[in-house]
Amino acid sequence: MSREFAPIEALPEWNGLPPLLTDEDGNEIKTPAQWMNRREALIRLVEHYMLGQGPAFDAPIKGQVIKSERALEGQAQLDTVRVFYGPGFQGHFDMSVLYKDDGRKKPAITWSLFSYTGPCPVERELVLERGYVLCSFYREQMTPDAPMKTGPAQAVYPEYDWGAIRIWAFQHSLAASYLTAQPYVNPDALVATGHSRGGKAALAAGILDPRFAVTAPNNSGCGGCGNFRYLGTRDGLTQDPALTESLGRIAHVFPYWWNQTFQTIGELNPPHGFKYESRLPFDGHTLRALVAPRALFSSEGLDDAWANPYGSQLSCKAAQPVFDLMGVPQNNRLFLREGPHQFGETDWRALLDFCDQQFSF
Ligand code: GCU
């Protein structure tokens, strides 16, 4: 067994966040090509200790429009698309694809939702007005958000140990496979987004699937753009797992979001303080950096203490040298706003502004 895949308690402790631009033999990463190799090695670690293994992001799909209608007072086209996936195309889920049929190839946003009700009119209108395609889907069609359940995706792919976060990330990839084949989509301008647990899934999608030009987790916190080693509020570091979600807490309450190995890292008993976090060979800064050189836009509410506004800022800062090395310093963006845990109009507008710059609108 390579030393990286050793049991967590056998790994060396890091003093602070583990370095990004040093490889496992202690050599400095000095070139973009070296980072791309380092990135692959780090992805293997994130899979091993946290997300689990899953199918290739570009596994074959079939898409079928099962309903086609006009929406938003006739301004837009709304397709309900059934996406079939897996061996024999035995799995499926449905997604809504909203777009203007104006003959142009447009950027497209994939959005993992909490419920069947779909995007509210504000987001639909805003996204459409700004010239984007909005593709939304309900994550529980892939696997339920509940403990000890085996969902449709695990039934289709029984060989993988992926947790729900990786399964929901894969749903973004399945959506991307459909969208990139559509005449109204610019395949070089795909965006993955989602809120909270959906933000963790959007971040995993952006790490694992290089077709996403922009990865946009919203209030993703623990297991997302937050930080495992450093917990804090808008006022600073507290290291208080009662205020800010710790690794042990998320592993205990949502074990099915991750693989089995993730259960061995944190303190599973209340109050879920620290255990082996200092030995973990990655942290939130790594998850951000793994998107580089593509763009990462995360948004955080300063009053969202549970999602670690302090640690999110730390992760962003610590990831920056990787984006600098890749020659894209502007691609590591943290949007900090006043307010609580929500994906509201302010976040959407900021995301669209960022995407406009990326896609040079
Ligand atoms: C819980 C969980 C968070 C998660 C959030 C959400 O609060 O602890 O990790 O982000 O639910 O998905 O809304």
Side-chain angles (χ1 to χ4, degrees), residues 114 196-197 200 220 245 249-250 254 257 306 341:
F114 273 84
S196 208
R197 65 199 70 185
K200 305 179 212 296
S220 56
E245 189 171 31
R249 171 70 162 55
I250 206 169
F254 302 103
W257 285 1
W306 191 241
H341 191 63

Side-chain angles (χ1 to χ4, degrees), residues 65-275:
V65 177
I66 56 173
K67 192 171 169 194
S68 185
E69 59 200 304
R70 300 300 293 169
L72 300 178
E73 293 168 357
Q75 287 180 64
Q77 183 64 26
L78 178 62
D79 293 344
T80 305
V81 179
R82 183 154 294 171
V83 177
F84 296 89
Y85 65 92
F89 300 105
Q90 46 182 305
H92 74 262
F93 71 97
D94 294 343
M95 56 190 199
S96 298
V97 188
L98 182 75
Y99 58 99
K100 271 195 185 150
D101 41 359
D102 53 8
R104 292 179 46 232
K105 281 191 174 291
K106 293 169 278 291
I109 302 177
T110 61
W111 184 16
S112 168
L113 298 172
F114 273 84
S115 69
Y116 280 114
T117 53
C120 85
V122 174
E123 292 120 13
R124 287 170 32 140
E125 275 169 38
L126 184 63
V127 171
L128 201 75
E129 173 192 302
R130 298 282 295 258
Y132 289 70
V133 176
L134 183 60
C135 170
S136 53
F137 35 84
Y138 176 49
R139 67 183 74 105
E140 294 203 41
Q141 286 193 346
M142 297 293 287
T143 191
D145 196 351
M148 309 316 285
K149 291 245 177 78
T150 297
Q154 294 97 324
V156 169
Y157 288 111
E159 66 271 41
Y160 297 119
D161 67 337
W162 48 354
I165 295 294
R166 182 162 187 166
I167 295 175
W168 297 332
F170 184 56
Q171 194 176 19
H172 283 274
S173 292
L174 297 170
S177 295
Y178 176 80
L179 292 169
T180 49
Q182 302 311 309
Y184 53 84
V185 170
N186 175 354
D188 298 323
L190 292 187
V191 182
T193 197
H195 168 64
S196 208
R197 65 199 70 185
K200 305 179 212 296
L203 178 59
I207 291 171
L208 296 168
D209 186 341
R211 295 173 300 178
F212 288 106
V214 174
T215 301
N218 174 269
N219 299 189
S220 56
C222 188
C225 290
N227 200 276
F228 294 128
R229 286 168 170 81
Y230 299 100
L231 310 178
T233 65
R234 65 181 296 161
D235 299 322
L237 185 69
T238 64
Q239 301 296 47
D240 183 352
L243 290 177
T244 300
E245 189 171 31
S246 65
L247 193 157
R249 171 70 162 55
I250 206 169
H252 175 69
V253 179
F254 302 103
Y256 59 95
W257 285 1
W258 322 99
N259 70 354
Q260 280 302 313
T261 312
F262 195 68
Q263 296 295 313
T264 63
I265 302 165
E267 177 52 66
L268 300 179
N269 296 306
H272 306 291
F274 296 101
K275 195 173 176 190

